[in-house]
Amino acid sequence: MPRVFLYNPFKSDCIEDLIDRWIKAEETRGWTKDLVRVRHGPYKPLDELEAGDTLYIIGHGDVTPNHMVDRGPTEGGTQEVLQPHELAARVFSDGLTDKAITIKIYSCLAARGVLDSFATNAAIQIKLKCGSMGGMSCKFDIYGYDEIVSILVLNPKTGEYGKFVGELKEDVTGVSEDTIELTTVKASSSRKLLVKKGFGFM
């Protein structure tokens, strides 16, 4: 069975809570996916990816800055910031090589303004760093999302598990979702293909 890798690209533990909740939701709904939890570190965790697997690169996004961060603006501490070239260097150092996998840069609004978005720039940098022939070709597809996206959750409106898009709402309350009101739209409808297999980018 193809596996789903949930990858924390940061040095901090902040994204680990999101991954905890994603795994808990998967466990509650009966483990329909074979999840592999990995994080940035010295042991090249992405070297274990095989053809057919999916890699979720998980972080927090922002509509304006061209970066991904490890924590939201309301969380304490100093944000760890990854620019597109830094994310590419990090996944490369963690063992990502050119295999027939799907990569999803999974953070809110990462592909907003597609041509100059964080997700597009990061996807191009990942292809250049990890693709074949010095980035001239690649075996992977890379996606980004141009909406606010949830991790795998139980949608209170539908009673269905999934990854949904949402809206920012200051008055929403809920377990660690207090700034997001989920819609019934699946996140997959929000994705944009940023790098496709073979030659070319989009």
Side-chain angles (χ1 to χ4, degrees):
M1 175 190 298
R3 298 166 299 169
V4 175
F5 282 65
L6 303 179
Y7 170 59
N8 174 4
F10 298 99
K11 295 177 181 177
S12 78
D13 293 331
C14 294
I15 295 300
E16 294 300 305
D17 177 60
L18 288 177
I19 295 175
D20 284 343
R21 288 188 284 127
W22 189 321
I23 291 172
K24 180 65 175 176
E26 188 65 67
E27 180 182 12
T28 302
R29 75 167 180 169
W31 293 100
T32 65
K33 302 286 185 182
D34 184 6
L35 296 186
V36 180
R37 181 181 193 147
V38 292
R39 66 178 299 173
H40 172 60
Y43 302 111
K44 296 194 178 296
L46 303 184
D47 188 48
E48 297 179 17
L49 283 156
E50 298 175 356
D53 290 341
T54 299
L55 171 64
Y56 282 88
I57 301 174
I58 303 169
H60 289 284
D62 191 317
V63 67
T64 304
N66 193 13
H67 62 229
M68 173 187 274
V69 296
D70 68 331
R71 66 195 78 194
T74 60
E75 298 179 59
T78 302
Q79 289 180 326
E80 183 180 349
V81 177
L82 289 177
Q83 304 289 341
H85 69 282
E86 294 170 323
L87 177 61
R90 194 153 287 185
V91 297
F92 181 73
S93 71
D94 283 339
L96 181 64
T97 55
D98 193 15
K99 299 173 183 176
I101 62 172
T102 298
I103 299 171
K104 298 186 178 183
I105 299 174
Y106 205 77
S107 63
C108 292
L109 306 171
R112 178 64 56 92
V114 177
L115 293 180
D116 191 30
S117 66
F118 169 77
T120 298
N121 292 327
I124 291 170
Q125 291 297 319
I126 290 169
K127 180 179 178 180
L128 292 173
K129 193 81 172 172
C130 307
S132 298
M133 301 171 61
M136 291 293 293
S137 182
C138 67
K139 296 175 184 168
F140 41 68
D141 288 326
I142 304 179
Y143 290 87
Y145 294 77
D146 63 359
E147 299 287 346
I148 295 167
V149 290
S150 75
I151 58 169
L152 182 72
V153 293
L154 178 66
N155 191 315
K157 293 184 177 181
T158 65
E160 177 185 10
Y161 282 97
K163 298 178 290 292
F164 299 91
V165 303
E167 300 175 357
L168 285 177
K169 297 287 184 181
E170 292 182 3
D171 59 344
V172 170
T173 59
V175 180
S176 300
E177 296 288 349
D178 57 351
T179 61
I180 299 174
E181 180 175 299
L182 299 178
T183 70
T184 58
V185 179
K186 290 286 188 72
S188 59
S189 66
S190 172
R191 70 187 184 184
K192 294 189 177 293
L193 182 63
L194 305 174
V195 167
K196 62 184 178 181
K197 291 181 178 68
F199 296 87
F201 286 96
M202 288 188 281

